[in-house]
Structure formats: C-alpha cells, structure tokens
Amino acid sequence: MQLRMKITVVAAGAALVLLGSAACGGDSDSDEPSANSPAPAATQAAPTAAPTEAVAAKPSTLALVGKDILFSTDKLEAAAGAVTIEFDNQDGGVPHNVHVFKGTDATGSSLAKTELESGPIKQTLQVEMEAGNYFYVCDAHPTTMTGTISVD
Ligand SMILES: [Cu+2]
C-alpha cells in the first residue's frame, strides 16, 4: 500500500516537470543553431541495389513495321492470350499484309490476317494465341516478308 502511493507521487511529480519544461520552452528555443546541425542522412550508407533482374513480361501488343518490302523483325514474342499486332506498312504504293499461321511455316492452319493494302497504312490484327510457335507472312511477298512468334 505504501509503495503504490509513492509511485503515484513520483508520477505526479514527473508530470509537473513535463508541464514546466513545455511552458518554458517557448521563446528561448529560437536561439539554438539547429540549422547548422549535420544532417543525419549524409552519414547513412547508400542502400544496396537488389541484384535480381525482373523478368520482363511478354507483351500482348506487338509492333511490326513493313518497310522496303521487309518486316522490321522476323522474331516476335508474346504472352499467351489475346494478342494484338499493330502493323505499320510504310511502303507507299506497295501492298502488304500480316497473315498468321499456327506452327513455324505457312503449312499450319491460318489463324488470322489483314487485307492486302498499299501503304502507307496502319493495320491492326487481333489473334487469340495459346502457348506455342506461330508464323507470320505478307501474302504479297512470301519469300522475303516472314517471321515467327513465340508465345508463352
Ligand atoms: Cu508485303
């Protein structure tokens, strides 16, 4: 019983001290050269960069350019699912299209194609693709304008 009373008294005293310092802290604080104190951040070590490289997600939209009677690439990669091929035929007066087949050549089943149209023109082709390999070709230039799409 006595101990508890003593603790209560000490606590009350501490509260008074806190109140007193708060009351006195008003104007005198402005004289402190707090702006000159060193910034603690300067001494902190730079965080080490995580060495793990994030695996880039395969795109679902593929850009393909037709120029000088060539495709801009003969290898594309896409994520399985709905794939959009944005074909930009930059050859003025030259007809191109994009024709997609299952497999690695035009002997597979035809999945989708754009119409043969003279450039400059932009065409969009949407194809539902499961994981696997696909082949694309321009029907007007099947010997020079071909490529494969790897989907997973
Ligand atoms: Cu072509």
Side-chain angles (χ1 to χ4, degrees):
M1 226 14 213
Q2 258 189 342
L3 185 61
R4 174 171 292 199
M5 282 190 63
K6 193 173 184 181
I7 290 171
T8 304
V9 170
V10 169
L16 284 171
V17 169
L18 285 172
L19 281 170
S21 64
C24 296
D27 296 335
S28 61
D29 283 349
S30 58
D31 295 334
E32 290 177 10
S34 58
N36 293 336
S37 57
T43 59
Q44 283 177 354
T48 52
T52 52
E53 254 180 62
V55 177
K58 299 269 173 67
S60 57
T61 300
L62 309 177
L64 186 63
V65 175
K67 193 179 182 195
D68 300 329
I69 316 184
L70 291 171
F71 282 131
S72 51
T73 179
D74 62 359
K75 277 192 173 54
L76 291 169
E77 292 186 332
V83 176
T84 301
I85 299 173
E86 293 180 342
F87 177 54
D88 181 6
N89 175 2
Q90 298 179 356
D91 279 339
V94 181
H96 297 308
N97 75 338
V98 181
H99 191 164
V100 177
F101 293 82
K102 185 98 177 84
T104 55
D105 57 42
T107 62
S109 55
S110 169
L111 293 181
K113 65 177 179 179
T114 62
E115 295 300 312
L116 273 170
E117 290 184 286
S118 292
I121 192 167
K122 292 183 180 178
Q123 300 179 322
T124 300
L125 184 64
Q126 292 189 307
V127 198
E128 192 69 28
M129 290 176 149
E130 316 173 323
N133 292 309
Y134 297 81
F135 175 79
Y136 59 93
V137 60
C138 166
D139 289 320
H141 308 100
T143 59
T144 55
M145 295 181 74
T146 65
T148 56
I149 310 172
S150 171
V151 177
D152 59 17

